[in-house]
Amino acid sequence: MESVLAHVGPDGEHLLVEHLQKVGQISASLASKFNSGGWGELAGVWHDLGKFRPGFQRYIRESRDNNAHIEGRVAGRDKTHSAAGALWAIQSLEKKFGAKGALAGRVFAYLIASHHAGLYDWDGGLAPRLAGDDSKTELAEALAANPPEEVLALGEFNPSLSGIPGGAAGFALWVRMLFSCLVDADFLDTEAFFDVDKSATRACFPSIAEMRLACEDHLADLVARAVPTKVNALRAEILQACETAAEMSPGFFSLTVPTGGGKTLSSLAFALHHADLHAKRRVIYAIPYTSIIEQTADVFREVFKGLGSEVVVEHHSQAESEEREETAAARLACENWDAPLVVTTNVQLFESLFAARTSRCRKLHNLVDSVIVLDEAQQLPAQFLQPVLDALNLLVKHYRVSVVLCTATQPALSTVEYFDATRNLRGLDNVREIVPDAVMLHTQLKRVQVSLPASWQTRTSWEEVADQLSREPCVLAIVSSRRIARELHQMMPAGTLHLSAQMCGAHRADVIRSIKARLKARAEGLDVEPLRVVSTQLVEAGVDIDFPVVWRALAGLDSIAQAAGRCNREGRLPHGGRLVVFVPPEAPPPGWLRKAADACVSTLHGASEDPLSPHLFERYFRKLYYNTDLDAHQICAKLAVDTATLGVEFRSAAEAFKLIEDEDRATVVVRYGQSQGIDMLIATLLRDGPQRWLMRKLQRYMIDIPRRTADALVGRGLVLASPGLYIQQAESLYRDNVGFVTDEAPFNPAANVF
């Protein structure tokens, strides 16, 4: 058996038995965090049982290819190996434990048969595959090769399903958690063999306790140096409330603080303090917008700069290869959130939580014993709200997770009467407010006068908007799509700045730094040149800019409140800032943006109180959610387990759970900022393939565009296709003022917000 191989590489051979035993050990260790170590161990030991087949051994030896072990890359019956372990689990457990064992064997079947292709649906997917002749032959040939008894043995395994976290309601999440443990264990042991920049990808991070102390020192220094203003005094009070509340028992929390109240750093302080006191292993900070994640990551890096450069993992890339395009390097480079502080997006967090694919699921087990901060919690996707709330309840109740709903416009998801009872909607359990008096905070932090349209039916042309903006010496205009931002920017005077997600993160960060520097200079009387900015709503969260005047195209009331947070943010203007809400010449496209705008108009029409009053937000969200199916894609039904067969529609649910209502997207690495070494990074990618340290560095040079556009550009030789992403070739595709452009008009305004 010593000659039976799991992998071959340029520097040697990886023995199969050694690989199976190690994956079993790692998977057991990971799954033990939620009392499922026995399940994790057997899944690891049996996952590559099919590699004992003589045909597979012949193939892997003859190919001598790093990628030969990846199932599905090459057609042919001898190339498969994931069905044998799945069938062995069902047969051996049934033989020893009867019907109960056969049912438990189906759990292993999901895990093992899916560890390359991703989790299957049972009916129409996994069941017919396992019933096929090829799968049966694979098992027979593997067993005929006489695997060692320690590989085939059940040991002391108990097949009882009574201990599933959350029972039947938690079955689907539990299987995905186990799948995460198996996949990560497989990747980690394979990485150890291939040693692809292992030291770089396994950074030595500081402890949560060290990070808590660094954060406390940083915030104490900020408070000590802060100008003694009313706003700064309130920020200090909010911070103190967060540090006090962190001592409460784990569970759900809400942090309802008006924009500009310092909730980003205060929520981080809460999370680290809470994690340290309650033995949590990491903090996951999730943000709704891909486009501004790097701003928050930069703020956090400043907090921890004394602890080294590898403290914050910033993860927002959608650059993940299709299973048939995978290489060994691509598999090892996918992110598993092995860090104490991860800054990510709602898309990454929630699509991973409902994922079927290996690369997305890999990180899930690292949610156990974590603190999840949902920044701008009002942006939780309404059409997926019910499955999201169900998953969060399971994580808190059964996986020792604490969740913080952090926002200026709290949607009150814990209030039973907030939901339509006829739809049997389920809210969050026992959400505790960290700063209880939202009305008082709003009154004390009021710094902006909101100017609403005289008539909600009267539209303002973009030419008129541009004319009005051009008369302002210092103004920010926020619109709801990339296309409109680009067109409005073209109408503005020379020198007007532009911000949108057509600019990569590094580019946006440079522009925002410039804006902040110019605003500071203007406040000190050192800059008299006009400062005008046209932006998508990416500036409405996590970007601390402070304009005297902000114009906002009609949108959801929560977006209007966020826009107000970019106006007189520091409260320095004696007469307050001015937010002008206008009705643009075209309505938002059908869908969520239009529903939000309609709910805003319905809420504000005839209202006599401050448009940003906390009382109005509950009314607004009631209207918004009442007109929305909160499980529009039937995710809950797809993930409901048939207790007789353990049938679940894992793949169908994952395919339906897409937060961005959009056509297929593609990630493009752009060539912005030659002096910053992007060409060297791209050259390394092309030479060595994706590696985790490299993908982390490339995050800030990535944008998303429709895949059809990317493929068209490849056909014209302007973009190079690479597994999981595309690479800009033609310099003309990226401009220093507006970012990525083509000579076509490929961007759909309905999809390209932010």
Side-chain angles (χ1 to χ4, degrees), residues 80-91:
T80 63
H81 61 267
S82 64
L87 283 174
W88 174 250
I90 294 172
Q91 294 179 15

Side-chain angles (χ1 to χ4, degrees), residues 113-151:
S114 304
H115 79 273
H116 280 282
L119 285 165
Y120 289 90
D121 294 348
W122 181 260
D123 293 326
L126 186 54
R129 181 190 169 194
L130 295 181
D133 290 339
D134 284 350
S135 295
K136 294 175 182 177
T137 299
E138 182 182 315
L139 175 60
E141 291 179 354
L143 294 178
N146 295 316
E149 179 58 30
E150 62 265 29
V151 169

Side-chain angles (χ1 to χ4, degrees), residues 42 66 159 209 390:
L42 277 188
N66 288 19
D390 288 347

Side-chain angles (χ1 to χ4, degrees), residues 254-271:
S254 58
L255 177 59
T256 311
V257 175
T259 303
K263 67 179 182 300
T264 299
L265 286 175
S266 293
S267 60
L268 176 66
F270 170 90

Side-chain angles (χ1 to χ4, degrees), residues 23-34 36-38 40-41 181 185 365:
V23 172
Q25 292 168 10
I26 298 172
S27 181
S29 175
L30 299 177
S32 66
K33 295 180 295 188
F34 48 97
S36 301
E41 181 177 15
C181 295
H365 69 85

Side-chain angles (χ1 to χ4, degrees), residues 479-491:
V479 297
S480 296
S481 84
R482 303 177 191 179
R483 176 184 62 83
I484 291 172
R486 192 166 60 249
E487 292 177 359
L488 180 58
H489 178 262
Q490 291 172 350
M491 299 178 188

Side-chain angles (χ1 to χ4, degrees), residues 632-651:
H633 301 276
Q634 300 298 301
I635 305 298
C636 294
K638 289 179 172 64
L639 293 178
V641 61
D642 181 335
T643 55
T645 66
L646 298 189
V648 176
E649 297 178 56
F650 286 109
R651 185 162 297 184

